[in-house]
Amino acid sequence: MNTICKFFFLAVTILAMISCEESKSPPDQPVNLRTEYLRNPIGLDNPFPAFSWEVNDQTRGAAQSAYRILVASSLEKLDSNEGDIWDSGKITSDQSHLVGWQGSELTSRQVCYWKVMTYDQVGQPSVYSQPASFEMGLLERSDWKAKWIGIDETGKPPRSVMFRKEFTAGNEVKKARIYITGLGTYLLYVNGNKVGDDLLAPGWTDYRKKVQYQVYDVTDFVITGENAIGVVLGNMWWSSGLGWQGGVAYSQGPLRFIAQLEIETGDGKAEVFSDESWKGSHSPYVENTIYDGVTFDARLVQKGWDLPGFDDSKWRSVADLDMSGIRMVAQQEPPIRIVSVVEPVSITEPVEGNYVFDFGINMVGYGKLKVQAPRGTRIQLKYAELLHPNGTVAQENLRSAKVIDDYICSGEGMEEFEPHFTYHGFQYVEVSGLPSKPDKETLKALVFNSAVESAGTFSCSKEILNSIQANIWRGQRSNLMSVPTDCPQRDERLGWMGDAQIFGPTSCYNMDMARFYKKWMRDILDSQDEKEGFVYDVNPAIVVGGPSKPAWGDAVIVIPWIVYKFYGDKSIIEENYDGMKRWVEYMHGNSTDNLYTWSNEDSTWFGYGDWVPVERSPSKPISQAYYYYSTKLLAEMAKIIGKSEDGKELSDRLPAIKDAFNKAYYIKDSASYVGGTQTANLIPVAFGLTEEQFTETVMNSVVENVKAHDNHLTTGFLGTPLLLPMLSDFGHHEIAYASAVQTTYPSWGYMVEKGATTIWELWNSDTERPEGMNSRNHFAYGSVGEWYYGYLAGIRPDVNNPGFKRIIIRPMPAGDLISAKASVMTPYGKVLSDWELKDGSFILSVTIPANTTAEIHLPLKEGSKVMEGESEIYSGGKLTRGKEFFKLTSATDSEVVLETVSGNYLFVVR
Ligand code: BGC
């Protein structure tokens, strides 16, 4: 916040205090304590973690003037206010998010308890918060006494294997932690109990460089006396084979894992770790790959294998598999977890004996089968997003992915099956082989994804927009699987960069994406080409493709920018700056006369361009536009992290890049860029490439184009996120709205009308050939969500005070919309913007969380007056009351802009 603003807010809050008859009560104890964005995490590996909390003060204008953090080695010490690890003392600061660790460097396994108190704007302290805690993981490779082990065999793909080990624990188990990871993916059992509620651990990274480990609290599972640990391994991303080009695998095995159990009992400390003393065997998962699915033969289940006392004399010995070249880091992104269980809405029998379960919505996860059938009965689950006209499942758009799970019954009573080691994108499952007619209990859908927390809600009076928002939401959930994927169903499911960067802002409105993207940025840079510095199209890279294409590679710049804007987190820039710069330098080094045009040997093809549009745009200008945009954003980010020389040098390049762009691609006479499409004209204006004096006319070309298409978009991936915001910004909000609510082709509403419950990959997925590239669950076109939150409901972050430290509220009614409401859970608490049109008035309810400020835009008509609560605060171009809370920034006949402090407000514009 600049000094003038700060002064204003200090002045208004003190004025507010004076004007109150009674003095303000102190703030309540701070809430929502987070360490590295997490609540009470175990297994952190940043020895300098950052703390966040929410100031808990409902008073209008509530702000933090200082804080004090105490960190102690025990709860007792914390309770007696003894910060033996770190006592920050009273720090004068309004920072309550990502406050950096100032204690001494943390060490492996260290457990810390912390609490915080805040001081309000007049210096009154709160009481201390409730305690929070965090526990460090294993920070050094030398902390691992365990070895990577496996059965020495390979395969294409390797067969699933399992391992076991028995151990004795002493009296009174006080604490037990297991540090574990595996390649490809593992299931962990202690004394027959499945450990952890996460799936597909350790998640996906560039396994050539790095693997994540998990830490589980198994205190409740370890008992005094005899115990057993069991581990089952499957292929997933490591060795299934990935990609549409024939399945590139990081490895063909052996599957392997490393596990270290550390126990504290009344008798002292003990350790159990993976080494050659473990035994291994093939598991009942006779086949498993990510795309094709799983075959589980329940006749091969070895009862009691994960309990003490099992006879493993026939099991095989294991080998020490060296992995010393691979980094091991604590899990960075939220684990994959089941987020809902869906029951079928109907069961049909299109072919005798084949039952089709319809789950009502397109989603991601797998089926959980419950069945009683004779030994050896093979039950097959065939998944699909679509049905053939005859009611059987249509798998054509899954291309080479088989997407089938088979279960072979043991014949022992009621059996339950979950096909771990795979996932599917589906609405329908066709089940064959059942011994009798199924019911709703036979098959349920377990929906899972990287369990990022929800952050936002949007709803409005126009039903079609609510349906689209619901589809965007499901599309996002469906495509968070350790990395942001393009699609969840066919032979791709890859971290496509272009898709992620265009959907980034919408994703951050909907969900708390900070840690997820911070992890993915590390993946991108792990895979970065060491020699030339280019990044790949999909990340983690799967060893295909050369330099990433324009607008795809640029995700390496755009994603940190979005994270900075939404979460105020500089560390994503600091941590990745060198790699980001290498990408910009790669483009710089490969441009001629300031023009960057990505190309491969086939010189007619310049990258993906405005992918899968209605009207194609030339892709050469897109290369140059993104070269400019990335250079510009990096220059900004360099300045933000104090690299001002770099920032200047990068900024100095911009005029020449811009000039080259306009010379090559701007056609002055037609006030348009080559191609003349919506996208061709939107990108240069949005990125600041168009000379100021031409921006209006270029945007008019866009408007004419939209009108010529009867208020429809014609954009692809790159133009779509820009179209509506740019139209609204340039005074064409009604046209933006008209295109937003279309239900005829091409539009988001068209998908809904055709029964979509997620966002399609193509505007015409329904008429395009099914066997091609035609996913029904791509989040890319969901990028319009940013306009719902940021324009219709009007909640926007302010990049100059990022992370919603300052909030822009700018609701924009349009067309037949009579209400819209959005909320966003920001690092400071919940922001709300909720408006309706009633009896000729515009009524807006706003919540600005404590310790933030806001700029509120209210739409006016000529002669409008503004009430806030009971009082009139504005009329005739002037602030009439409420100066203790509001500052008039600007006023026109159509809008008044107020600066304000935190609090709840009810504005009525008459
Ligand atoms: C993916 C896209 C991706 C594209 C590259 C497709 O196969 O599904 O979403 O961005 O390839 O152009």
Side-chain angles (χ1 to χ4, degrees):
M1 203 188 308
N2 66 38
T3 328
I4 299 173
C5 268
K6 272 198 172 153
F7 180 73
F8 162 70
F9 286 113
L10 193 66
V12 290
T13 41
I14 291 171
L15 256 172
M17 296 301 313
I18 296 167
S19 71
C20 288
E21 276 178 21
E22 285 171 40
S23 63
K24 175 187 176 300
S25 48
D28 288 333
Q29 57 177 184
V31 289
N32 199 10
L33 273 61
R34 287 146 290 154
T35 311
E36 293 284 292
Y37 293 93
L38 301 170
R39 291 182 194 88
N40 305 326
I42 61 172
L44 285 186
D45 66 357
N46 179 356
F48 305 100
F51 292 151
S52 305
W53 58 85
E54 273 172 41
V55 173
N56 187 7
D57 191 340
Q58 301 309 311
T59 323
R60 202 173 264 193
Q64 174 188 293
S65 61
Y67 65 82
R68 180 174 180 183
I69 297 171
L70 286 187
V71 186
S73 57
S74 72
L75 267 178
E76 294 68 40
K77 284 192 172 136
L78 195 70
D79 274 350
S80 53
N81 293 342
E82 195 188 328
D84 61 331
I85 295 181
W86 175 35
D87 179 350
S88 71
K90 181 178 173 184
I91 304 284
T92 303
S93 164
D94 66 351
Q95 193 181 355
S96 58
H97 175 48
L98 300 176
V99 172
W101 177 259
Q102 297 290 331
S104 50
E105 189 168 338
L106 292 156
T107 54
S108 294
R109 306 177 186 85
Q110 194 170 349
V111 181
C112 296
Y113 301 89
W114 69 280
K115 60 185 182 181
V116 60
M117 67 159 71
T118 61
Y119 295 77
D120 67 12
Q121 62 272 26
V122 288
Q124 303 182 94
S126 71
V127 295
Y128 273 114
S129 65
Q130 292 295 313
S133 66
F134 64 93
E135 181 176 320
M136 302 306 288
L138 301 182
L139 306 188
E140 306 293 335
R141 191 61 181 242
S142 54
D143 290 320
W144 290 89
K145 291 195 186 133
K147 294 177 177 172
W148 279 92
I149 57 168
I151 295 177
D152 204 357
E153 63 179 19
T154 56
K156 209 182 168 197
R159 172 83 191 262
S160 166
V161 280
M162 55 192 196
F163 303 87
R164 69 183 308 278
K165 170 80 184 171
E166 295 190 17
F167 64 96
T168 313
N171 282 313
E172 204 198 328
V173 178
K174 291 182 181 154
K175 179 175 175 178
R177 293 284 184 270
I178 189 156
Y179 304 85
I180 179 170
T181 186
L183 288 168
T185 180
Y186 67 86
L187 298 170
L188 168 66
Y189 299 86
V190 173
N191 294 328
N193 302 294
K194 160 97 173 58
V195 175
D197 56 1
D198 44 351
L199 296 169
L200 306 180
W204 187 6
T205 49
D206 188 335
Y207 301 125
R208 298 167 300 177
K209 303 274 175 60
K210 184 176 84 188
V211 59
Q212 308 192 110
Y213 67 87
Q214 286 70 41
V215 187
Y216 300 104
D217 178 356
V218 289
T219 316
D220 291 343
F221 294 151
V222 175
I223 53 171
T224 299
E226 297 310 306
N227 292 265
I229 314 183
V231 174
V232 190
L233 300 179
N235 294 303
M236 273 306 290
W237 299 286
W238 194 52
S239 43
S240 285
L242 296 171
W244 69 106
Q245 289 176 324
V248 190
Y250 292 100
S251 171
Q252 295 187 349
L255 298 175
R256 62 197 68 192
F257 77 100
I258 181 168
Q260 182 158 310
L261 171 62
E262 301 184 359
I263 312 166
E264 277 174 46
T265 67
D267 300 338
K269 292 191 178 183
E271 284 173 346
V272 181
F273 41 81
S274 50
D275 62 11
E276 293 90 334
S277 69
W278 289 53
K279 299 293 276 302
S281 161
H282 283 150
S283 92
Y285 292 87
V286 289
E287 281 171 8
N288 75 94
T289 66
I290 174 172
Y291 297 154
D292 291 347
V294 158
T295 300
F296 187 92
D297 189 341
R299 294 169 302 184
L300 304 179
V301 170
Q302 303 184 49
K303 278 213 189 98
W305 73 279
D306 50 359
L307 295 172
F310 176 81
D311 176 10
D312 60 14
S313 54
K314 296 213 175 67
W315 281 37
R316 293 161 68 174
S317 56
V318 301
D320 171 3
L321 302 166
D322 179 40
M323 293 287 281
S324 47
I326 308 294
R327 274 184 294 135
M328 287 167 66
V329 300
Q331 174 147 358
Q332 312 286 338
E333 85 284 13
I336 296 170
R337 292 206 173 107
I338 293 171
V339 293
S340 61
V341 178
V342 181
E343 296 204 342
V345 292
S346 73
I347 305 170
T348 53
E349 193 182 359
V351 172
E352 205 188 332
N354 280 18
Y355 297 93
V356 173
F357 288 68
D358 176 359
F359 289 96
I361 46 166
N362 201 12
M363 62 195 159
V364 173
Y366 48 52
K368 181 174 180 177
L369 179 70
K370 207 169 161 193
V371 68
Q372 186 160 11
R375 187 172 176 83
T377 309
R378 178 183 279 259
I379 294 167
Q380 185 163 84
L381 314 178
K382 202 171 165 188
Y383 299 78
E385 294 185 301
L386 301 162
L387 293 181
H388 288 131
N390 71 358
T392 57
V393 294
Q395 286 198 318
E396 287 75 3
N397 72 333
L398 309 179
R399 303 194 307 210
S400 68
K402 289 203 186 76
V403 197
I404 290 176
D405 294 322
D406 278 312
Y407 181 73
I408 302 166
C409 299
S410 69
E412 293 171 26
M414 189 59 85
E415 302 177 45
E416 287 192 5
F417 164 61
E418 269 183 56
H420 299 110
F421 309 148
T422 187
Y423 74 89
H424 310 301
F426 65 102
Q427 173 171 344
Y428 306 97
V429 187
E430 186 169 327
V431 185
S432 57
L434 289 169
S436 56
K437 203 168 158 46
D439 61 22
K440 284 189 171 190
E441 295 304 308
T442 309
L443 190 71
K444 295 194 174 166
L446 306 187
V447 182
F448 56 81
N449 47 63
S450 290
V452 299
E453 283 186 18
S454 301
T457 59
F458 170 85
S459 61
C460 67
S461 57
K462 190 82 177 171
E463 263 322 302
I464 192 71
L465 296 178
N466 296 335
S467 303
I468 298 165
Q469 166 64 15
N471 291 1
I472 295 172
W473 185 275
R474 282 189 210 104
Q476 179 168 348
R477 282 250 169 255
S478 302
N479 283 297
L480 303 179
M481 206 57 91
S482 189
V483 308
T485 60
D486 57 332
C487 61
Q489 73 294 76
R490 67 174 180 229
D491 50 359
E492 285 196 65
R493 316 183 196 183
L494 304 173
W496 278 101
M497 298 270 276
D499 309 41
Q501 67 97 351
I502 59 164
F503 187 63
T506 301
S507 72
C508 295
Y509 274 119
N510 281 334
M511 297 171 202
D512 181 355
M513 299 293 291
R515 276 185 70 87
F516 188 82
Y517 284 137
K518 285 177 85 172
K519 180 263 182 187
W520 192 50
M521 273 304 291
R522 294 175 184 136
D523 296 339
I524 297 171
L525 295 184
D526 278 346
S527 298
Q528 184 168 34
D529 184 77
E530 277 165 25
K531 236 170 71 201
E532 293 190 61
F534 60 77
V535 291
Y536 282 84
D537 277 342
V538 298
N539 286 290
I542 56 163
V543 215
V544 282
S548 184
K549 319 301 175 292
W552 267 249
D554 299 284
V556 74
I557 306 294
V558 178
I559 292 289
W561 180 246
I562 295 168
V563 169
Y564 174 69
K565 204 158 130 182
F566 276 80
Y567 306 101
D569 192 340
K570 274 188 205 172
S571 71
I572 192 168
I573 306 173
E574 287 160 345
E575 211 181 281
N576 300 299
Y577 182 79
D578 291 345
M580 289 154 68
K581 188 156 181 225
R582 292 192 74 205
W583 168 248
V584 168
E585 294 303 338
Y586 171 80
M587 292 192 283
H588 187 57
N590 283 281
S591 48
T592 314
D593 298 331
N594 293 301
L595 272 185
Y596 175 66
T597 47
W598 183 93
S599 71
N600 59 9
E601 287 125 46
D602 169 8
S603 58
T604 57
W605 194 56
F606 295 100
Y608 306 122
D610 188 32
W611 191 242
V612 289
V614 180
E615 282 185 359
R616 278 202 78 81
S617 305
S619 47
K620 257 191 187 180
I622 289 171
S623 317
Q624 176 75 355
Y626 267 90
Y627 168 41
Y628 179 82
Y629 187 49
S630 280
T631 309
K632 182 167 143 177
L633 292 186
L634 189 66
E636 280 302 310
M637 288 188 271
K639 290 173 198 158
I640 287 164
I641 60 164
K643 291 184 180 290
S644 40
E645 259 177 50
D646 258 23
K648 184 175 177 314
E649 199 199 313
L650 290 162
S651 304
D652 287 348
R653 292 180 193 170
L654 293 173
I657 304 175
K658 179 172 173 173
D659 196 45
F661 179 84
N662 286 314
K663 279 204 178 104
Y665 306 122
Y666 186 54
I667 310 166
K668 203 170 169 190
D669 296 342
S670 61
S672 168
Y673 285 88
V674 289
T677 59
Q678 294 172 13
T679 298
N681 285 321
L682 283 165
I683 290 180
V685 183
F687 289 0
L689 277 158
T690 310
E691 295 298 345
E692 192 63 37
Q693 70 267 32
F694 300 131
T695 51
E696 291 266 324
T697 44
V698 174
M699 279 309 293
N700 286 341
S701 303
V702 177
V703 172
E704 289 316 313
N705 188 305
V706 175
K707 283 188 184 156
H709 289 89
D710 198 17
N711 291 339
H712 285 83
L713 56 84
T714 61
T715 48
F717 274 23
L718 304 181
T720 298
L722 304 177
L723 180 67
L724 305 189
M726 295 289 291
L727 287 173
S728 298
D729 282 348
F730 278 82
H732 309 288
H733 187 55
E734 290 299 333
I735 293 176
Y737 182 75
S739 343
V741 298
Q742 285 294 1
T743 51
T744 50
Y745 174 81
S747 65
W748 299 273
Y750 176 73
M751 301 179 191
V752 174
E753 292 292 307
K754 294 284 172 186
T757 54
T758 39
I759 300 287
W760 293 347
E761 175 173 23
L762 310 175
W763 295 118
N764 63 343
S765 274
D766 58 331
T767 55
E768 190 54 64
R769 65 192 183 103
E771 67 278 8
M773 195 193 71
N774 195 346
S775 138
R776 301 306 171 101
N777 200 352
H778 253 58
F779 59 43
Y781 282 140
S783 58
V784 68
E786 179 185 4
W787 184 78
Y788 297 176
Y789 281 96
Y791 288 74
L792 292 183
I795 299 178
R796 302 185 203 173
D798 171 3
V799 76
N800 296 317
N801 293 278
F804 293 94
K805 184 79 173 95
R806 182 169 181 274
I807 298 148
I808 298 170
I809 300 286
R810 191 174 194 178
M812 294 178 78
D816 57 356
L817 205 58
I818 48 176
S819 68
K821 174 178 177 178
S823 68
V824 179
M825 192 64 201
T826 74
Y828 301 92
K830 190 171 172 174
V831 177
L832 171 80
S833 173
D834 178 4
W835 64 261
E836 64 169 329
L837 298 175
K838 203 173 167 191
D839 306 329
S841 296
F842 172 81
I843 303 167
L844 171 68
S845 167
V846 175
T847 301
I848 304 300
N851 205 27
T852 68
T853 60
E855 169 187 307
I856 299 182
H857 296 238
L858 298 168
L860 301 184
K861 287 195 211 101
E862 215 185 322
S864 293
K865 291 181 175 160
V866 179
M867 305 276 295
E868 195 284 307
E870 299 296 303
S871 336
E872 182 194 286
I873 58 162
Y874 172 89
S875 80
K878 290 202 179 72
L879 212 51
T880 47
R881 282 188 68 171
K883 291 188 178 127
E884 65 273 35
F885 301 118
F886 306 112
K887 186 184 147 205
L888 184 64
T889 321
S890 76
T892 63
D893 283 348
S894 58
E895 186 183 69
V896 58
V897 185
L898 305 170
E899 285 285 331
T900 189
V901 287
S902 65
N904 294 311
Y905 299 93
L906 181 66
F907 297 101
V908 180
V909 182
R910 291 208 173 101

